[in-house]
Amino acid sequence: MSASATSLPGTAGETSGQPLLRIEDIRKSYGELEVLKGVSLTVAEHQVVAVIGPSGSGKSTMLRCINRLEEPNSGRIFLGRDEITARNARLNELRRNIGMVFQQFNLYPHLNARDNVALALRKVLRQSKATAYATAEKTLSRVGLAEKFTAFPAQLSGGQQQRVGIARALAMEPKVVLFDEPTSALDPELVSGVLAVIRDLKALGYTMVVVTHEMGFARDVADHVIFMDHGQIVEQGPPAQIFSAPKSERLRDFLSKGLGH
Amino acid sequence: MDNIYRYFFNLDVMRQSLPFLLNGLWLTIGIALMVIACGLTLGLGLAVVRAFQIRILNIFIIAFADIFRAIPALVILMLVYFALPSVGITFSSITSVVITLSLVLAAFSLEIFWAGITAVNPGQWEAARSTGLTFTQTLRHVVLGQAIRMVIPPLTNRTIAITKYTAIASAVSVPEILNQASTQQAQLANPTPLTLAAILYILMFLPLVFLSRYLEHHYGKGR
Amino acid sequence: MDQIISSYFNLSVLRQALPYLQNGLILTLWLSISIVPLAMIAGLVIAMLFDLRQKWLNALLVVYIDLFRAFPPLVLIIFIFFGLPFLGIRFSEFVSFVLAATLNGAAYFGEIFRAGIASIPRGQYEAAVASGLTPLQAMIHVVLPQAIRNVLAPLTGNIIELVKATSLASVVAMPELLRSARIAQGNTYNATPLIAAAVIYLILLWPAVRLASRLERRAIARR
Ligand SMILES: Nc1ncnc2c1ncn2[C@@H]1O[C@H](COP(=O)(O)OP(=O)(O)OP(=O)(O)O)[C@@H](O)[C@H]1O
Ligand SMILES: [Mg+2]
């Protein structure tokens, strides 16, 4: 895992790297309600993309379409050369290349931290128990939980739980990691610890898509910011442009309603 | 297919056996209502007594609950009907069934009511006692209501399950539905009366099953 | 007092009845260890099929569950023993009884496991499949372990009920514990064998009954 030279901070990150994740015109409706009205997006290797927008604008839905927790009604999604949305896609194999971190952590309460991380290693990658545990411990240490291997989720603070959630996603060595408001369920004093972990991951060259309400974080860490509203990408660009010189009325409106909610 | 019709849905046989089965139905309903009334009353009463934490009484109450939950109802019925007469205590078959199932329901409902009483937040006791209510007043006006509301779903399920056991009355020749159906089946050499019995049972209990689903939904989710 | 001892706790009668009781107990145990796992597996399958969320399949499963919950097990047993032969369908007594009890037990287990699975937040399943587990793996390693923990109380209760339901086999003349005790009672004109059978059931199921009430209390307190 080498810190990549291509993920230089600032606007340089904008265009660098091979396209890794490609979303082409996806649409999604729940009955009458059209939640995604044709969303297209390309994420380059080593790029960090922040997705912002008002509540109900379709951010989570877009993210969940990427690993097909939701089925888009139309449009195509590619990870490298593989089409995720293909009818015969080998979903389980594709999904292990896409890590996901949830707002509510979704840790398995009946398993301790190490087993939370090791489960997919053992069942999907068929690693031996010893190998899986070694990987799990290494990954947990990396997110600052070296002392908590055998703690159960209920014994951990929200911030620690979310770091286990991140370790669970990282352990599979995914090509891209999706974060759905990873800090929204946390007490304010625990937010910075989790954001620091994500910042470290960027330094290590991870490709990430982060839905967030933390505008300060988006501005500092993202290479590229997407503003969604009413199921569409209204505006996108480097953080400097999005936050300092918003073009659209809706984005200006959104930003003026208070940075960081 | 023809055979299924002839042996299980034979209209002639149905017509002949229906009056007998309906007699059985009323008897089953009567027994069931008696059992529910006696069983739940006794169960609630014992749970309340248990709340007073009188050592010796509690030993008996717990023993009663355990014994009547562990021994199958049919075994208890046999004891009541065939064994008690040895010491000169004789009940009619119907009374034996009512006694048996009432005791079983009492044992189960006692445990459920008691679980409800212990589950009421201790703060409720403290609050009520601090306003000067006595133990008994607190139990009666504050705790029991909450406890009962909490246990409605498991209580309904259990009551239905035990009430269904009225069918064991046929084993001591009480002429309830199943007994009537078996007799008719033997007499008419056709199992259609059994189908009829099945239909009657379903008509009788399906609404209760729906009720329990509804209650489960209504009370079960309110965590 | 003497009369009670000689009619209910008569040692010489007990000695005579012992071989019967022993054989009866063995059949009761065989029935139990056939029925409980079969019904449990069937119930688990029902609950997992439920989770596929296919509209028609689910409707069908609900009909199955509710019908068999509305149906007294004894009625089902009589139906299978005396009804099916008219269609030329003949199983051995053992198989017939296991079939009836499994059909009945599976409905209850199905409903229990279904409720257990429904009690687990969807995010658990999503987190598991998002990390590459197949839906079946997610069910087995993530959802079920939690679901089962949530329904331990009704699960234990239902196992006890199924074991007790083996006593219904006596009605169709299968020489399980109760029937054997009744035979011994007839031979000796003494109720001691019946008491002995009751005591055997008590010993067999008492630990489970204790466990069930502990679990139930915990489950109700969690609401
Ligand atoms: N399973 C569903 N069924 C019906 N409607 C849904 C479902 N999931 C989401 N929606 C609707 O889709 C819209 C977009 O939801 P989504 O969760 O993607 O928004 P979001 O941008 O993530 O909002 P938030 O910031 O509050 O998380 C909302 O109007 C929501 O009510
Ligand atoms: Mg969201």
Side-chain angles (χ1 to χ4, degrees):
Chain A
M1 200 67 50
S2 61
S4 164
T6 50
S7 69
L8 292 172
T11 47
E14 267 289 273
T15 47
S16 64
Q18 297 289 319
L20 177 62
L21 180 67
R22 229 165 62 238
I23 299 174
E24 291 179 357
D25 195 34
I26 54 167
R27 290 167 189 276
K28 171 74 184 173
S29 311
Y30 293 109
E32 295 286 280
L33 181 71
E34 192 170 29
V35 177
L36 294 180
K37 302 169 182 164
V39 171
S40 301
L41 171 68
T42 303
V43 181
E45 221 173 334
H46 311 301
Q47 198 180 28
V48 176
V49 173
V51 183
I52 61 173
S55 183
S57 56
K59 306 182 297 292
S60 298
T61 307
M62 193 259 294
L63 210 62
R64 291 159 60 83
C65 281
I66 295 175
N67 61 0
R68 278 179 61 184
L69 284 180
E70 304 290 348
E71 291 291 342
N73 298 108
S74 68
R76 313 214 291 173
I77 303 174
F78 295 88
L79 182 69
R81 295 219 179 111
D82 301 315
E83 182 180 350
I84 294 170
T85 40
R87 211 165 273 277
N88 60 353
R90 305 183 62 170
L91 213 47
N92 306 309
E93 252 164 64
L94 286 172
R95 276 173 172 164
R96 78 181 199 218
N97 290 318
I98 306 173
M100 186 159 202
V101 176
F102 298 84
Q103 179 174 352
Q104 301 296 340
F105 325 141
N106 294 353
L107 294 188
Y108 313 132
H110 62 301
L111 301 179
N112 65 28
R114 186 172 54 198
D115 284 320
N116 260 279
V117 179
L119 182 65
L121 295 172
R122 296 179 61 188
K123 300 301 166 190
V124 180
L125 301 183
R126 304 250 160 245
Q127 290 183 3
S128 72
K129 191 168 176 171
T131 316
Y133 274 11
T135 313
E137 291 180 0
K138 201 176 74 200
T139 320
L140 282 168
S141 305
R142 230 167 62 193
V143 297
L145 291 173
E147 263 111 69
K148 300 289 182 186
F149 295 157
T150 56
F152 283 87
Q155 301 166 321
L156 296 171
S157 75
Q160 291 169 331
Q161 290 188 49
Q162 190 57 298
R163 279 184 277 158
V164 175
I166 294 173
R168 182 172 65 181
L170 296 185
M172 299 295 286
E173 302 191 352
K175 295 188 176 131
V176 54
V177 189
L178 313 175
F179 293 80
D180 191 359
E181 299 194 28
T183 58
S184 292
L186 297 178
D187 293 336
E189 71 272 19
L190 299 175
V191 169
S192 61
V194 170
L195 293 183
V197 170
I198 300 175
R199 211 168 267 145
D200 289 347
L201 296 180
K202 177 188 162 103
L204 291 169
Y206 275 96
T207 310
M208 299 187 273
V209 181
V210 187
V211 174
T212 184
H213 284 229
E214 300 283 340
M215 295 306 152
F217 172 77
R219 165 178 255 158
D220 292 349
V221 179
D223 303 308
H224 190 81
V225 179
I226 306 278
F227 171 62
M228 282 184 73
D229 196 14
H230 291 113
Q232 284 172 318
I233 295 180
V234 177
E235 195 171 334
Q236 56 181 308
Q241 175 200 319
I242 292 288
F243 291 107
S244 309
K247 293 198 188 92
S248 64
E249 187 65 34
R250 279 195 265 174
L251 176 54
R252 273 200 294 275
D253 223 43
F254 173 72
L255 292 174
S256 70
K257 277 185 184 137
L259 290 178
H261 38 182
Chain B
M1 206 56 221
D2 255 11
N3 274 350
I4 290 185
Y5 174 77
R6 192 162 100 222
Y7 288 125
F8 292 96
F9 298 95
N10 191 317
L11 289 182
D12 278 342
V13 175
M14 277 197 190
R15 214 167 297 129
Q16 285 179 55
S17 57
L18 190 60
F20 295 94
L21 279 152
L22 285 181
N23 283 339
L25 177 68
W26 299 129
L27 193 51
T28 296
I29 291 177
I31 294 174
L33 291 178
M34 289 283 283
V35 167
I36 293 173
C38 300
L40 291 182
T41 310
L42 183 59
L44 182 59
L46 288 173
V48 168
V49 173
R50 189 167 170 185
F52 285 88
Q53 308 275 19
I54 303 163
R55 197 80 181 278
I56 311 174
L57 277 181
N58 273 8
I59 291 175
F60 279 108
I61 291 174
I62 293 170
F64 166 78
D66 282 4
I67 289 171
F68 283 88
R69 286 182 306 154
I71 301 176
L74 189 54
V75 176
I76 297 170
L77 176 60
M78 295 294 141
L79 285 172
V80 172
Y81 192 64
F82 292 113
L84 281 187
S86 309
V87 290
I89 304 173
T90 313
F91 295 113
S92 75
S93 53
I94 294 182
T95 313
S96 302
V97 172
V98 172
I99 291 175
T100 300
L101 293 180
S102 297
L103 289 176
V104 173
L105 180 55
F108 276 101
S109 61
L110 147 65
E111 271 297 317
I112 294 173
F113 283 126
W114 175 243
I117 291 174
T118 57
V120 172
N121 190 331
Q124 294 290 312
W125 282 102
E126 288 161 13
R129 297 305 295 275
S130 74
T131 61
L133 293 186
T134 65
F135 182 90
T136 316
Q137 286 171 326
T138 306
L139 186 63
R140 173 146 172 247
H141 299 292
V142 178
V143 173
L144 270 188
Q146 301 182 45
I148 291 173
R149 203 160 316 131
M150 254 186 286
V151 300
I152 280 177
L155 195 62
T156 322
N157 282 337
R158 189 53 81 172
T159 305
I160 295 172
I162 291 170
T163 312
K164 274 176 15 183
Y165 263 79
T166 50
I168 63 171
S170 62
V172 289
S173 306
V174 173
E176 46 65 78
I177 303 181
L178 182 58
N179 183 268
Q180 296 276 13
S182 299
T183 314
Q184 291 299 310
Q185 182 234 243
Q187 258 168 33
L188 303 173
N190 184 306
T192 299
L194 291 179
T195 313
L196 212 47
I199 293 172
L200 290 179
Y201 272 110
I202 286 170
L203 286 180
M204 204 165 23
F205 285 108
L206 204 52
L208 294 177
V209 171
F210 287 154
L211 174 72
S212 84
R213 258 189 203 290
Y214 168 80
L215 291 173
E216 194 93 50
H217 215 76
H218 227 67
Y219 292 87
K221 297 258 165 72
R223 322 213 131 163
Chain C
M1 197 65 211
D2 271 359
Q3 201 197 345
I4 289 182
I5 289 180
S6 72
S7 352
Y8 295 148
F9 303 99
N10 192 318
L11 281 184
S12 72
V13 170
L14 185 62
R15 216 166 293 128
Q16 270 176 277
L18 222 46
Y20 290 96
L21 293 173
Q22 194 182 344
N23 287 336
L25 177 59
I26 289 172
L27 182 55
T28 291
L29 291 178
W30 269 118
L31 286 170
S32 302
I33 60 173
S34 311
I35 293 163
V36 172
L38 276 177
M40 230 177 200
I41 291 168
L44 206 51
V45 170
I46 290 174
M48 284 164 66
L49 288 177
F50 220 93
D51 210 51
L52 295 178
R53 296 160 185 233
Q54 304 294 314
K55 219 163 153 199
W56 284 106
L57 181 62
N58 280 14
L60 215 66
L61 293 172
V62 170
V63 168
Y64 172 84
I65 289 175
D66 283 355
L67 275 189
F68 281 87
R69 287 203 305 170
F71 220 73
L74 187 55
V75 178
L76 188 61
I77 291 162
I78 302 281
F79 204 94
I80 287 182
F81 269 76
F82 299 109
L84 287 191
F86 280 89
L87 292 180
I89 303 174
R90 254 170 243 278
F91 301 117
S92 74
E93 285 187 332
F94 190 89
V95 171
S96 301
F97 188 81
V98 168
L99 179 66
T102 302
L103 282 174
N104 178 261
Y108 279 91
F109 279 127
E111 176 64 13
I112 292 169
F113 284 126
R114 187 201 61 73
I117 291 172
S119 74
I120 305 305
R122 189 79 185 147
Q124 289 293 311
Y125 172 84
E126 289 182 349
V129 295
S131 67
L133 267 66
T134 64
L136 187 65
Q137 284 177 321
M139 180 56 85
I140 290 171
H141 299 291
V142 173
V143 178
L144 276 184
Q146 301 178 55
I148 288 171
R149 207 179 290 183
N150 281 355
V151 293
L152 275 182
L155 217 49
T156 318
N158 202 39
I159 292 172
I160 296 171
E161 286 312 302
L162 270 183
V163 173
K164 281 159 64 178
T166 58
S167 66
L168 298 178
S170 64
V171 177
V172 288
M174 288 177 72
E176 47 62 75
L177 188 51
L178 175 57
R179 174 82 184 164
S180 305
R182 291 271 292 136
I183 292 170
Q185 180 202 9
N187 290 347
T188 56
Y189 303 103
N190 186 293
T192 304
L194 266 184
I195 301 280
V199 171
I200 293 174
Y201 275 112
L202 190 59
I203 295 171
L204 208 59
L205 290 176
W206 187 68
V209 164
R210 286 276 84 212
L211 177 68
S213 49
R214 278 251 293 286
L215 293 170
E216 178 141 52
R217 208 163 301 160
R218 211 186 299 160
I220 287 175
R222 245 191 293 143
R223 278 179 197 276

